[in-house]
Amino acid sequence: MKTIQDDPRIYELMRRELTRQQTTINLIPSENFVSEAVLDATGSVLTNKYSEGYPHKRYYQGQANVDEVETIAIERAKRLFGAEHVNVQSYSGSPANLAIFHALCTPGDTILGMRLDMGGHLTHGHKVNASAKFFNSVQYSVNRETGLIDMQEVRKLAREHRPTIIIAGCTAYPQIVDFAAFRKVAEEVGAYLLADISHIAGLVAAGVHPSPFPHADVVMTTTHKTLRGPRGAMIMCTKLDRLANVEGLDEKKAAKARNLASKIDRAVFPGMQGGPHENVIAAKAVAFKEALSPEFKEYGAQIVRNAKALATTLQENGIKLVTNGTENHLLLLDLLPFGVGLGRQAAVALENAGIVTNCNTVPYDPSTPFKPSGVRIGTPMVTSKGMKEGEMRLIGTWMAMVIKDMKNTSLQHEIREKVWELCEKFPLYSERKY
Ligand code: DSN
């Protein structure tokens, strides 16, 4: 059996990636540093096992341990989010969302989601995504002045287009999502409400963002963002289908129509996927245990405190923020006052200074998604490193200096040194080689 050192090229790249993560300030809001325990589970021998089906209903033998792992993951997720039913098999957020559409819609049905360039997600009906190819996608925006989700617009579009599913969920929205308001609209038009909490799941688990339950029929989340688990996703739902039409059905068929949990399970497997990745499911279970701890509640609260401290510092230093601040883990820097389409240039300048971000459109961006006018940042990773408000004030000041003088490479090098020194005070994975 070979070891990873026998593949020197990949081994070296893994070592370099560890160094990069240890010595830079990572502000990409959808990333996180998982625990050693989560890394161990992900890299375990569970990767060797096929287990199509669900616990105690599989198509392969040899499931004694895998069945238990998956059951533990499900039970922990239920406790964490107060969910009636959980499916932990989804490979990632995109196939999970497609599985949900597959469970609740027929091709051609209408789905109503937030526009990608307004802070939504590709799989919420963006024109080039399968979600818009197989379904009739209608999209809502945010208010041009405030940057906030405009519930009047959501209601107007819902009444006009009668969607089968309304999606409440975002990837670049710095404010609280009002799930209760979405549910009201969904009820008014007889739609399912899907909450995609991928970005905020850790905050929901920590109790610092309102829960999508009891408002949503189905909740999807990736497990690797604020939730700090392995790359993957899960789907949670109510046991019963609120909108099941059972008129004229015999008892057996009516019971089936009412069973939302089983519709979701069947849509994931065999509807969308084959064998689940049980190593990742074990890592999800480990992450859920960590998220159930009191320390995780404090972690979630600190993420938000850090985001607010970073927001205040950036604003005091002349950087404009979409929605004028943040109430969650994420900030969207509006660089239009410096010129159109400068997001990528700013992100590159920041990376030169050791601060890793991603360029992003701002609402009503006059430029293109490849050359957007904003930068998206967040505090899950720096908070995982143990940084607090004091460090956020430093980072915010450095960021503003770099952004306001984007071409100044000697300033970037100067700040790179300071970033290196700061990271040394917050060691990460110190025992690891890769
Ligand atoms: N790529 C994720 C994000 O960065 O928000 C969404 O899929």
Side-chain angles (χ1 to χ4, degrees), residues 279-312:
N279 57 323
V280 177
I281 290 175
K284 288 174 187 172
V286 171
F288 300 157
K289 183 165 190 262
E290 291 171 359
L292 281 161
S293 69
E295 295 77 40
F296 195 86
K297 286 202 172 0
E298 178 46 32
Y299 168 63
Q302 188 63 47
I303 287 180
V304 178
R305 285 197 292 269
N306 280 351
K308 284 176 184 282
L310 198 48
T312 307

mmCIF file of all heavy atoms in Angstrom, residues 279-312:
data_model
loop_
_atom_site.group_PDB
_atom_site.id
_atom_site.type_symbol
_atom_site.label_atom_id
_atom_site.label_comp_id
_atom_site.label_asym_id
_atom_site.label_seq_id
_atom_site.Cartn_x
_atom_site.Cartn_y
_atom_site.Cartn_z
ATOM 1 N N ASN A 279 -18.163 8.137 4.373
ATOM 2 C CA ASN A 279 -17.083 8.826 5.096
ATOM 3 C C ASN A 279 -17.480 10.276 5.369
ATOM 4 O O ASN A 279 -17.265 10.798 6.471
ATOM 5 C CB ASN A 279 -15.764 8.755 4.298
ATOM 6 C CG ASN A 279 -15.893 9.330 2.889
ATOM 7 O OD1 ASN A 279 -16.929 9.168 2.237
ATOM 8 N ND2 ASN A 279 -14.866 9.991 2.403
ATOM 9 N N VAL A 280 -18.120 10.896 4.384
ATOM 10 C CA VAL A 280 -18.561 12.284 4.560
ATOM 11 C C VAL A 280 -19.744 12.334 5.542
ATOM 12 O O VAL A 280 -19.846 13.254 6.358
ATOM 13 C CB VAL A 280 -18.921 12.913 3.195
ATOM 14 C CG1 VAL A 280 -19.449 14.329 3.368
ATOM 15 C CG2 VAL A 280 -17.714 12.903 2.274
ATOM 16 N N ILE A 281 -20.601 11.322 5.492
ATOM 17 C CA ILE A 281 -21.733 11.287 6.429
ATOM 18 C C ILE A 281 -21.204 11.145 7.870
ATOM 19 O O ILE A 281 -21.710 11.791 8.792
ATOM 20 C CB ILE A 281 -22.721 10.166 6.034
ATOM 21 C CG1 ILE A 281 -23.421 10.583 4.726
ATOM 22 C CG2 ILE A 281 -23.731 9.898 7.148
ATOM 23 C CD1 ILE A 281 -24.347 9.537 4.128
ATOM 24 N N ALA A 282 -20.159 10.345 8.052
ATOM 25 C CA ALA A 282 -19.551 10.237 9.391
ATOM 26 C C ALA A 282 -18.993 11.600 9.816
ATOM 27 O O ALA A 282 -19.154 12.014 10.974
ATOM 28 C CB ALA A 282 -18.433 9.194 9.379
ATOM 29 N N ALA A 283 -18.371 12.291 8.873
ATOM 30 C CA ALA A 283 -17.820 13.616 9.190
ATOM 31 C C ALA A 283 -18.941 14.611 9.499
ATOM 32 O O ALA A 283 -18.798 15.486 10.357
ATOM 33 C CB ALA A 283 -16.963 14.107 8.031
ATOM 34 N N LYS A 284 -20.078 14.455 8.799
ATOM 35 C CA LYS A 284 -21.235 15.307 9.126
ATOM 36 C C LYS A 284 -21.667 15.035 10.571
ATOM 37 O O LYS A 284 -21.915 15.964 11.342
ATOM 38 C CB LYS A 284 -22.408 15.021 8.172
ATOM 39 C CG LYS A 284 -22.202 15.538 6.748
ATOM 40 C CD LYS A 284 -23.332 15.089 5.816
ATOM 41 C CE LYS A 284 -23.022 15.460 4.369
ATOM 42 N NZ LYS A 284 -23.975 14.896 3.393
ATOM 43 N N ALA A 285 -21.745 13.747 10.937
ATOM 44 C CA ALA A 285 -22.158 13.389 12.303
ATOM 45 C C ALA A 285 -21.223 14.029 13.331
ATOM 46 O O ALA A 285 -21.674 14.584 14.341
ATOM 47 C CB ALA A 285 -22.169 11.869 12.466
ATOM 48 N N VAL A 286 -19.926 13.980 13.042
ATOM 49 C CA VAL A 286 -18.940 14.567 13.962
ATOM 50 C C VAL A 286 -19.169 16.083 14.072
ATOM 51 O O VAL A 286 -19.173 16.657 15.171
ATOM 52 C CB VAL A 286 -17.505 14.263 13.452
ATOM 53 C CG1 VAL A 286 -16.468 15.042 14.241
ATOM 54 C CG2 VAL A 286 -17.223 12.760 13.535
ATOM 55 N N ALA A 287 -19.380 16.711 12.929
ATOM 56 C CA ALA A 287 -19.583 18.166 12.930
ATOM 57 C C ALA A 287 -20.874 18.526 13.677
ATOM 58 O O ALA A 287 -20.928 19.536 14.396
ATOM 59 C CB ALA A 287 -19.642 18.689 11.495
ATOM 60 N N PHE A 288 -21.917 17.714 13.517
ATOM 61 C CA PHE A 288 -23.182 18.019 14.210
ATOM 62 C C PHE A 288 -22.983 17.915 15.725
ATOM 63 O O PHE A 288 -23.532 18.716 16.483
ATOM 64 C CB PHE A 288 -24.308 17.057 13.784
ATOM 65 C CG PHE A 288 -24.629 17.096 12.302
ATOM 66 C CD1 PHE A 288 -25.236 16.008 11.671
ATOM 67 C CD2 PHE A 288 -24.345 18.215 11.527
ATOM 68 C CE1 PHE A 288 -25.530 16.032 10.320
ATOM 69 C CE2 PHE A 288 -24.637 18.247 10.165
ATOM 70 C CZ PHE A 288 -25.221 17.148 9.563
ATOM 71 N N LYS A 289 -22.195 16.929 16.160
ATOM 72 C CA LYS A 289 -21.915 16.804 17.601
ATOM 73 C C LYS A 289 -21.205 18.071 18.084
ATOM 74 O O LYS A 289 -21.542 18.631 19.129
ATOM 75 C CB LYS A 289 -21.054 15.564 17.863
ATOM 76 C CG LYS A 289 -20.774 15.326 19.328
ATOM 77 C CD LYS A 289 -20.249 13.928 19.552
ATOM 78 C CE LYS A 289 -20.182 13.580 21.026
ATOM 79 N NZ LYS A 289 -18.887 13.752 21.619
ATOM 80 N N GLU A 290 -20.232 18.514 17.302
ATOM 81 C CA GLU A 290 -19.517 19.745 17.685
ATOM 82 C C GLU A 290 -20.483 20.932 17.728
ATOM 83 O O GLU A 290 -20.416 21.771 18.626
ATOM 84 C CB GLU A 290 -18.391 20.026 16.674
ATOM 85 C CG GLU A 290 -17.254 19.015 16.755
ATOM 86 C CD GLU A 290 -16.215 19.134 15.637
ATOM 87 O OE1 GLU A 290 -16.359 19.998 14.737
ATOM 88 O OE2 GLU A 290 -15.256 18.347 15.664
ATOM 89 N N ALA A 291 -21.396 20.972 16.749
ATOM 90 C CA ALA A 291 -22.328 22.115 16.680
ATOM 91 C C ALA A 291 -23.368 22.075 17.792
ATOM 92 O O ALA A 291 -24.004 23.093 18.091
ATOM 93 C CB ALA A 291 -23.002 22.147 15.313
ATOM 94 N N LEU A 292 -23.565 20.918 18.390
ATOM 95 C CA LEU A 292 -24.520 20.817 19.512
ATOM 96 C C LEU A 292 -23.897 21.298 20.828
ATOM 97 O O LEU A 292 -24.580 21.420 21.836
ATOM 98 C CB LEU A 292 -24.987 19.364 19.673
ATOM 99 C CG LEU A 292 -26.071 18.894 18.683
ATOM 100 C CD1 LEU A 292 -26.110 17.370 18.609
ATOM 101 C CD2 LEU A 292 -27.442 19.447 19.059
ATOM 102 N N SER A 293 -22.609 21.595 20.817
ATOM 103 C CA SER A 293 -21.922 21.949 22.065
ATOM 104 C C SER A 293 -22.136 23.424 22.411
ATOM 105 O O SER A 293 -22.386 24.251 21.525
ATOM 106 C CB SER A 293 -20.424 21.688 21.915
ATOM 107 O OG SER A 293 -19.886 22.634 21.004
ATOM 108 N N PRO A 294 -22.033 23.783 23.702
ATOM 109 C CA PRO A 294 -22.146 25.197 24.095
ATOM 110 C C PRO A 294 -21.077 26.064 23.415
ATOM 111 O O PRO A 294 -21.333 27.230 23.092
ATOM 112 C CB PRO A 294 -21.920 25.165 25.610
ATOM 113 C CG PRO A 294 -22.084 23.752 26.029
ATOM 114 C CD PRO A 294 -21.838 22.883 24.843
ATOM 115 N N GLU A 295 -19.891 25.486 23.169
ATOM 116 C CA GLU A 295 -18.814 26.281 22.518
ATOM 117 C C GLU A 295 -19.243 26.744 21.125
ATOM 118 O O GLU A 295 -18.868 27.815 20.674
ATOM 119 C CB GLU A 295 -17.519 25.452 22.348
ATOM 120 C CG GLU A 295 -16.837 25.024 23.631
ATOM 121 C CD GLU A 295 -17.517 23.846 24.309
ATOM 122 O OE1 GLU A 295 -17.952 22.912 23.601
ATOM 123 O OE2 GLU A 295 -17.636 23.856 25.551
ATOM 124 N N PHE A 296 -20.044 25.933 20.459
ATOM 125 C CA PHE A 296 -20.450 26.309 19.102
ATOM 126 C C PHE A 296 -21.407 27.507 19.136
ATOM 127 O O PHE A 296 -21.389 28.357 18.254
ATOM 128 C CB PHE A 296 -21.083 25.125 18.369
ATOM 129 C CG PHE A 296 -21.181 25.351 16.882
ATOM 130 C CD1 PHE A 296 -20.115 25.052 16.053
ATOM 131 C CD2 PHE A 296 -22.322 25.898 16.323
ATOM 132 C CE1 PHE A 296 -20.192 25.291 14.673
ATOM 133 C CE2 PHE A 296 -22.416 26.139 14.958
ATOM 134 C CZ PHE A 296 -21.351 25.832 14.125
ATOM 135 N N LYS A 297 -22.223 27.567 20.189
ATOM 136 C CA LYS A 297 -23.132 28.727 20.335
ATOM 137 C C LYS A 297 -22.296 29.997 20.443
ATOM 138 O O LYS A 297 -22.598 31.029 19.836
ATOM 139 C CB LYS A 297 -23.997 28.568 21.583
ATOM 140 C CG LYS A 297 -25.086 27.548 21.432
ATOM 141 C CD LYS A 297 -26.207 27.808 22.437
ATOM 142 C CE LYS A 297 -27.433 26.962 22.244
ATOM 143 N NZ LYS A 297 -27.485 26.008 21.185
ATOM 144 N N GLU A 298 -21.239 29.924 21.223
ATOM 145 C CA GLU A 298 -20.351 31.074 21.389
ATOM 146 C C GLU A 298 -19.634 31.375 20.068
ATOM 147 O O GLU A 298 -19.469 32.534 19.696
ATOM 148 C CB GLU A 298 -19.358 30.778 22.527
ATOM 149 C CG GLU A 298 -18.326 31.865 22.801
ATOM 150 C CD GLU A 298 -18.883 33.284 22.869
ATOM 151 O OE1 GLU A 298 -20.041 33.466 23.294
ATOM 152 O OE2 GLU A 298 -18.141 34.209 22.453
ATOM 153 N N TYR A 299 -19.257 30.320 19.351
ATOM 154 C CA TYR A 299 -18.614 30.502 18.052
ATOM 155 C C TYR A 299 -19.538 31.292 17.103
ATOM 156 O O TYR A 299 -19.117 32.266 16.471
ATOM 157 C CB TYR A 299 -18.257 29.130 17.458
ATOM 158 C CG TYR A 299 -17.848 29.164 15.999
ATOM 159 C CD1 TYR A 299 -16.714 29.864 15.595
ATOM 160 C CD2 TYR A 299 -18.607 28.514 15.028
ATOM 161 C CE1 TYR A 299 -16.343 29.912 14.259
ATOM 162 C CE2 TYR A 299 -18.233 28.557 13.686
ATOM 163 C CZ TYR A 299 -17.109 29.258 13.306
ATOM 164 O OH TYR A 299 -16.758 29.315 11.981
ATOM 165 N N GLY A 300 -20.811 30.875 17.044
ATOM 166 C CA GLY A 300 -21.769 31.556 16.165
ATOM 167 C C GLY A 300 -21.928 33.023 16.545
ATOM 168 O O GLY A 300 -21.951 33.914 15.684
ATOM 169 N N ALA A 301 -22.023 33.271 17.853
ATOM 170 C CA ALA A 301 -22.199 34.659 18.316
ATOM 171 C C ALA A 301 -20.955 35.487 17.975
ATOM 172 O O ALA A 301 -21.060 36.656 17.570
ATOM 173 C CB ALA A 301 -22.459 34.669 19.817
ATOM 174 N N GLN A 302 -19.781 34.873 18.090
ATOM 175 C CA GLN A 302 -18.541 35.613 17.808
ATOM 176 C C GLN A 302 -18.399 35.900 16.307
ATOM 177 O O GLN A 302 -17.894 36.956 15.921
ATOM 178 C CB GLN A 302 -17.323 34.819 18.317
ATOM 179 C CG GLN A 302 -16.019 35.580 18.241
ATOM 180 C CD GLN A 302 -15.993 36.836 19.134
ATOM 181 O OE1 GLN A 302 -16.375 36.783 20.291
ATOM 182 N NE2 GLN A 302 -15.578 37.957 18.568
ATOM 183 N N ILE A 303 -18.883 34.978 15.471
ATOM 184 C CA ILE A 303 -18.858 35.224 14.016
ATOM 185 C C ILE A 303 -19.584 36.540 13.721
ATOM 186 O O ILE A 303 -19.101 37.393 12.966
ATOM 187 C CB ILE A 303 -19.572 34.081 13.242
ATOM 188 C CG1 ILE A 303 -18.744 32.801 13.232
ATOM 189 C CG2 ILE A 303 -19.870 34.503 11.802
ATOM 190 C CD1 ILE A 303 -19.414 31.638 12.485
ATOM 191 N N VAL A 304 -20.763 36.696 14.345
ATOM 192 C CA VAL A 304 -21.564 37.899 14.062
ATOM 193 C C VAL A 304 -20.896 39.141 14.671
ATOM 194 O O VAL A 304 -20.815 40.188 14.023
ATOM 195 C CB VAL A 304 -23.016 37.724 14.575
ATOM 196 C CG1 VAL A 304 -23.837 38.979 14.317
ATOM 197 C CG2 VAL A 304 -23.672 36.511 13.906
ATOM 198 N N ARG A 305 -20.392 39.004 15.882
ATOM 199 C CA ARG A 305 -19.701 40.164 16.497
ATOM 200 C C ARG A 305 -18.506 40.569 15.624
ATOM 201 O O ARG A 305 -18.268 41.751 15.394
ATOM 202 C CB ARG A 305 -19.206 39.809 17.908
ATOM 203 C CG ARG A 305 -20.299 39.745 18.962
ATOM 204 C CD ARG A 305 -19.710 39.799 20.377
ATOM 205 N NE ARG A 305 -18.956 38.617 20.726
ATOM 206 C CZ ARG A 305 -19.467 37.529 21.327
ATOM 207 N NH1 ARG A 305 -20.752 37.499 21.637
ATOM 208 N NH2 ARG A 305 -18.701 36.498 21.613
ATOM 209 N N ASN A 306 -17.768 39.592 15.135
ATOM 210 C CA ASN A 306 -16.610 39.899 14.284
ATOM 211 C C ASN A 306 -17.036 40.573 12.985
ATOM 212 O O ASN A 306 -16.395 41.525 12.529
ATOM 213 C CB ASN A 306 -15.836 38.612 13.970
ATOM 214 C CG ASN A 306 -14.939 38.196 15.122
ATOM 215 O OD1 ASN A 306 -14.764 38.932 16.091
ATOM 216 N ND2 ASN A 306 -14.368 37.013 15.028
ATOM 217 N N ALA A 307 -18.133 40.072 12.398
ATOM 218 C CA ALA A 307 -18.605 40.665 11.132
ATOM 219 C C ALA A 307 -18.999 42.127 11.363
ATOM 220 O O ALA A 307 -18.683 43.009 10.544
ATOM 221 C CB ALA A 307 -19.776 39.861 10.588
ATOM 222 N N LYS A 308 -19.649 42.378 12.488
ATOM 223 C CA LYS A 308 -20.074 43.760 12.772
ATOM 224 C C LYS A 308 -18.862 44.663 13.015
ATOM 225 O O LYS A 308 -18.830 45.813 12.562
ATOM 226 C CB LYS A 308 -21.007 43.789 13.993
ATOM 227 C CG LYS A 308 -22.421 43.293 13.683
ATOM 228 C CD LYS A 308 -23.247 43.259 14.955
ATOM 229 C CE LYS A 308 -24.620 42.689 14.719
ATOM 230 N NZ LYS A 308 -25.544 43.628 14.088
ATOM 231 N N ALA A 309 -17.856 44.136 13.719
ATOM 232 C CA ALA A 309 -16.651 44.940 13.984
ATOM 233 C C ALA A 309 -15.925 45.252 12.679
ATOM 234 O O ALA A 309 -15.459 46.378 12.456
ATOM 235 C CB ALA A 309 -15.725 44.194 14.941
ATOM 236 N N LEU A 310 -15.871 44.259 11.794
ATOM 237 C CA LEU A 310 -15.225 44.455 10.494
ATOM 238 C C LEU A 310 -16.011 45.491 9.677
ATOM 239 O O LEU A 310 -15.426 46.384 9.040
ATOM 240 C CB LEU A 310 -15.181 43.105 9.777
ATOM 241 C CG LEU A 310 -14.237 42.893 8.609
ATOM 242 C CD1 LEU A 310 -12.832 43.373 8.904
ATOM 243 C CD2 LEU A 310 -14.208 41.399 8.234
ATOM 244 N N ALA A 311 -17.333 45.394 9.739
ATOM 245 C CA ALA A 311 -18.192 46.328 9.000
ATOM 246 C C ALA A 311 -17.954 47.759 9.482
ATOM 247 O O ALA A 311 -17.747 48.676 8.666
ATOM 248 C CB ALA A 311 -19.658 45.942 9.181
ATOM 249 N N THR A 312 -17.954 47.943 10.789
ATOM 250 C CA THR A 312 -17.775 49.297 11.331
ATOM 251 C C THR A 312 -16.415 49.860 10.905
ATOM 252 O O THR A 312 -16.321 51.008 10.468
ATOM 253 C CB THR A 312 -17.864 49.255 12.878
ATOM 254 O OG1 THR A 312 -19.071 48.599 13.217
ATOM 255 C CG2 THR A 312 -17.850 50.634 13.491
#
